[in-house]
Amino acid sequence: NYTFAFTLPPPPYQRKGYGKFLMAFSYELSKIEGRHGSPEKPLSDLGLLGYRSYWSQVLIDLLRKDESSSLSIQEISDMTMMKTEDIISTLTVLNLIQYYEGQHIIDLRRVSNMKMGSRGLPVDPSKIRWTPKLVPGVTLPLRIITSSST
């Protein structure tokens, strides 16, 4: 399950937030489909930098908002529709996964002090009007999206 395979804006539109907008838009489509997504691999060096920046922003925002100290990687994946391997690799690069008392945990103490870059242009999921193409014999998981789950 891939999100958009190519999200690089043309040169005159680079560094203006369109790349992160396209990434966010692709994950919103994944939420509508009820499918976890990831960019097509392998990513180029610049593609990895762009997605890692986007994933970092999403994960840090989510961890800052969440009051619970018991979020699992799978729960984060279900909330964001990011694949677990992308979440784990990003948290590892951010040095937020720690080994403690025999298990890996997300170190939330470091999250509040992290500085993040540009958020890109915002995506308003309520404005998306799209229905996934239905393929005979394939059923999509049903996921009801509420304003509190976006």
Side-chain angles (χ1 to χ4, degrees):
N1 293 337
Y2 296 124
T3 56
F4 290 142
F6 186 75
T7 58
L8 181 67
Y13 301 100
Q14 291 177 0
R15 313 274 318 150
K16 296 184 179 181
Y18 293 112
K20 285 186 181 175
F21 172 83
L22 291 172
M23 291 173 203
F25 182 75
S26 71
Y27 279 103
E28 290 302 329
L29 292 178
S30 292
K31 289 176 185 177
I32 292 169
E33 286 185 337
R35 293 183 178 200
H36 297 88
S38 184
E40 190 172 357
K41 308 274 188 343
L43 288 168
S44 67
D45 291 344
L46 288 176
L48 179 60
L49 283 173
Y51 268 97
R52 180 79 35 81
S53 175
Y54 171 76
W55 292 330
S56 297
Q57 186 71 60
V58 169
L59 294 173
I60 295 302
D61 286 348
L62 177 69
L63 294 172
R64 283 180 178 160
K65 288 179 192 171
D66 190 78
E67 300 294 323
S68 167
S69 61
S70 63
L71 265 182
S72 71
I73 298 295
Q74 187 59 51
E75 289 170 324
I76 293 171
S77 178
D78 291 341
M79 294 168 78
T80 63
M81 291 314 216
M82 293 167 48
K83 289 206 168 183
T84 55
E85 58 264 25
D86 295 332
I87 295 168
I88 291 168
S89 70
T90 301
L91 292 174
T92 301
V93 167
L94 293 172
N95 200 24
L96 291 177
I97 292 183
Q98 304 293 322
Y99 190 73
Y100 180 74
E101 293 184 1
Q103 62 182 346
H104 287 90
I105 61 167
I106 300 172
D107 187 356
L108 294 175
R109 298 172 299 180
R110 302 190 66 234
V111 171
S112 61
N113 296 327
M114 299 195 87
K115 305 272 190 261
M116 301 308 300
S118 167
R119 295 182 181 280
L121 299 171
V123 173
D124 183 353
S126 69
K127 304 291 187 209
I128 299 174
R129 302 289 178 253
W130 180 73
T131 304
K133 180 180 177 183
L134 299 178
V135 178
V138 176
T139 57
L140 295 175
L142 177 62
R143 181 165 183 257
I144 298 172
I145 300 174
T146 65
S147 60
S148 63
S149 67
T150 57

